[in-house]
Amino acid sequence: MLNNVISRIYIDGEFVTPHGTELFDLHNPATGQVIGQVQLADEVDAEAAVAAAKRALPAWSATSREERIDALRRLHDAVAARLEDIREAVVLEYGGPVRNSFLVDGILGAFAHMIKTLEDFEFTRQVGNAVVEMAPIGVAGLISPWNSDAFFIADKLATALAAGCTAVIKPSEMSATQTQVMTEALHAAGLPKGVFNIVTGRGDVVGTTINRHPDIAKISFTGSTEVGRTIMREASGTLKSLTLELGGKSPSIILDDANLEEAVAGALGVGFVNSGQACTAGTRILVPENQLEDVVALITKKVASDYPVGDPRDPATAVGPMVSQRQWDRVQSYIHRGVEEGARVVVGGPGRPDELPDGYYVRPTVFADVTNDMTIAREEIFGPVLSVITYRDEDHAVEIANDTTYGLHAYVFSGDPARARRIASRLEAGRVSVNGGYEPVSPFGGFKQSGLGREYGSFGLEGFLEPRSVML
Ligand code: NAD
């Protein structure tokens, strides 16, 4: 057994040893070495966590806006004090390059934005003769993925607590190191016992307990579409409210009036974000037919100069390793599939980069001559693999963009903001970014099979509230 075994979960304000005994290996993706193990929680632990959250609910749901803001400030400051430890854990356990560890910085933003949202939020509204009270929905189950575990814990917890809900958090079992540091930080904020509980365990064990538990009123889940469907099925027995943030196959539309150099840089940036392991990644680059070869030339040049692959600790590295051997295999299988289906490899291709024989490194890969019916254009790969697809005219671009089962995000690049805005309004996507535009508190979530509901800001907060009409 390794020395580094994480064997603490967090229930009712205390660090406790899990009842579960299964050990799960944690790897350093940059080397492939096992760096530790986590002792996984089981159903008994999940039950104890739900019970603690239920006990804490009456007092927490009765707190005032000011008390919740104060709690969020304390959480923010406690996490800020450990931010570099969290960053270190993300690099070590996930292989996230230090150069773009903006999601780690986003952790503090999650608390800060929710404080701002809470300050302005109307919990009581007048509708005709009725007073509508926005009441906390109850105990929330918060389930997060490995691709940004610490951020999702922060964002979901901040929102649940702001609404007056208590929480049971089920982080990814692959992110136990991040979770450990986050838990210590959150504990240091000194919130009342049981308002949040953190149980790292398997999805089909701890997750299933949450999905089916009659005392859980709401689940906020970020992860794959497949698991999202399972949660929906299992939660239907108790008719839980669901926020599901799922996969994507987002289009980056380069319009013919765009500054091509800037548009290609932008499209590669959103395509290779988080080493391609991002739900929002713009993985289908849509270009006018007559500009294809110009775009390909720019892509070839820019990937070589701007997207070095390597050690995530090296500040020059733009693309780090995949999180696991499984993910490496998955990405490779899609690259092979692209070649088999007749797409043209413009940069990258199968296998490891020559100079990186160890670790879960892949070559950032861009395919051209992709048609939207190819597997690489339809399925979420979750790695640095992009497809360039040509379109005839604006209508055709919109048609291809919307021809997907997903609808999480879209990107439009144009020299004419009004034209880009018109196109944006025709896209079936929860967020459309025009020329790199960004707004952290605007609603985030998907159309179609990218999910249900919205996160962030007031829309996110409403997801944890039930309107109660009091008619006078
Ligand atoms: P995943 O769906 O395999 O796992 C996510 C979480 O769900 C983990 O904590 C896992 O243990 C848990 N889980 C697994 N089975 C469960 C079950 N039956 N019941 C309850 N919980 C269960 O996803 P992943 O591989 O960790 O993350 C990658 C996926 O997440 C990608 O598809 C990506 O698009 C998606 N993602 C979406 C967003 C978004 O906001 N839309 C953000 C990041 C990642």
Side-chain angles (χ1 to χ4, degrees):
M1 190 196 280
L2 292 165
N3 287 334
N4 181 19
V5 179
I6 296 171
S7 56
R8 289 282 182 276
I9 52 175
Y10 188 74
I11 297 178
D12 212 13
E14 287 179 21
F15 289 88
V16 295
T17 305
H19 174 270
T21 54
E22 182 184 349
L23 293 176
F24 179 88
D25 285 346
L26 302 169
H27 293 85
N28 176 352
T31 62
Q33 304 291 317
V34 175
I35 50 167
Q37 290 179 310
V38 54
Q39 184 176 341
L40 297 177
D42 66 7
E43 294 91 342
V44 174
D45 300 308
E47 287 285 350
V50 176
K54 188 181 177 186
R55 283 194 299 276
L57 183 65
W60 185 255
S61 60
T63 48
S64 65
R65 181 197 308 264
E66 289 67 32
E67 286 168 313
R68 292 180 204 167
I69 288 173
D70 177 60
L72 292 182
R73 284 213 178 99
R74 281 189 280 147
L75 289 169
H76 172 279
D77 294 351
V79 171
R82 297 294 304 277
L83 202 65
E84 291 320 305
D85 296 334
I86 295 168
R87 201 183 309 275
E88 168 59 26
V90 170
V91 175
L92 177 71
E93 162 183 82
Y94 170 63
V98 285
R99 170 170 142 183
N100 44 25
S101 57
F102 60 90
L103 277 167
V104 175
D105 301 311
I107 293 171
L108 297 185
F111 291 109
H113 297 318
M114 195 39 68
I115 290 168
K116 184 79 189 67
T117 298
L118 201 42
E119 281 168 351
D120 301 332
F121 193 77
E122 289 183 13
F123 281 96
T124 306
R125 304 165 198 182
Q126 193 76 37
V127 178
N129 283 335
V131 177
V132 180
E133 302 168 354
M134 300 300 283
I137 193 164
V139 177
L142 312 178
I143 304 177
S144 62
W146 47 258
N147 76 326
S148 193
D149 192 68
F151 169 77
F152 290 117
I153 290 176
D155 173 58
K156 291 178 189 302
L157 180 62
T159 315
L161 294 179
C165 296
T166 59
V168 175
I169 302 171
K170 209 286 302 161
S172 170
E173 55 276 41
M174 293 166 68
S175 311
T177 315
Q178 289 170 63
T179 297
Q180 171 82 357
V181 183
M182 272 299 277
T183 312
E184 289 167 8
L186 297 171
H187 172 71
L191 264 55
K193 280 165 53 160
V195 298
F196 66 91
N197 305 271
I198 305 183
V199 274
T200 302
R202 285 192 184 279
D204 57 2
V205 177
V206 173
T208 299
T209 306
I210 292 172
N211 299 345
R212 298 189 169 150
H213 207 292
D215 292 334
I216 298 266
K218 184 196 172 73
I219 294 178
S220 174
F221 167 77
T222 298
S224 62
T225 295
E226 193 189 334
V227 172
R229 282 194 196 96
T230 305
I231 291 175
M232 201 169 178
R233 230 177 7 253
E234 296 186 347
S236 70
T238 44
L239 285 177
K240 295 187 197 324
S241 160
L242 298 177
T243 299
L244 303 176
E245 297 291 354
L246 310 176
K249 196 73 201 174
S250 301
S252 282
I253 306 177
I254 299 179
L255 294 178
D256 57 7
D257 60 11
N259 173 322
L260 215 51
E261 180 115 18
E262 286 173 13
V264 168
L268 290 175
V270 296
F272 290 144
V273 64
N274 216 10
S275 307
Q277 300 177 121
C279 53
T280 54
T283 49
R284 294 182 297 143
I285 303 177
L286 275 45
V287 303
E289 272 171 355
N290 61 358
Q291 289 181 322
L292 173 65
E293 293 313 322
D294 293 342
V295 168
V296 164
L298 279 169
I299 286 177
T300 311
K301 191 178 95 184
K302 284 189 185 298
V303 174
S305 60
D306 300 351
Y307 291 92
V309 190
D311 182 353
R313 289 180 197 285
D314 182 344
T317 294
V319 178
M322 302 294 90
V323 72
S324 64
Q325 180 67 46
R326 188 163 163 243
Q327 192 61 20
W328 190 89
D329 291 340
R330 177 186 161 90
V331 174
Q332 292 302 316
S333 75
Y334 278 110
I335 296 175
H336 286 290
R337 193 74 186 262
V339 173
E340 282 157 25
E341 292 186 0
R344 166 169 51 126
V345 176
V346 172
V347 285
R352 292 167 197 279
D354 294 338
E355 63 288 5
L356 294 164
D358 303 316
Y360 310 133
Y361 293 100
V362 303
R363 304 163 73 194
T365 297
V366 182
F367 286 102
D369 304 339
V370 178
T371 54
N372 204 44
D373 56 354
M374 289 183 187
T375 310
I376 52 169
R378 301 215 73 79
E379 297 185 11
E380 184 182 52
I381 299 173
F382 227 57
V385 182
L386 311 180
S387 295
V388 179
I389 302 172
T390 55
Y391 66 84
R392 290 185 301 277
D393 53 27
E394 227 176 84
D395 287 347
H396 192 210
V398 171
E399 185 189 318
I400 297 171
N402 288 338
D403 177 16
T404 166
T405 55
Y406 293 111
L408 187 60
H409 215 301
Y411 305 87
V412 182
F413 300 93
S414 170
D416 177 354
R419 183 181 173 207
R421 170 81 175 72
R422 280 197 306 277
I423 300 238
S425 301
R426 299 173 64 194
L427 297 176
E428 296 161 356
R431 271 190 170 188
V432 184
S433 165
V434 175
N435 293 334
Y438 183 66
E439 171 48 61
V441 298
S442 73
F444 177 82
F447 281 41
K448 300 190 273 186
Q449 293 180 37
S450 284
L452 286 179
R454 293 293 182 268
E455 291 195 290
Y456 304 165
S458 59
F459 286 82
L461 187 51
E462 288 196 358
F464 287 84
L465 296 165
E466 285 280 28
R468 175 171 45 225
S469 292
V470 180
M471 289 162 288
L472 304 167

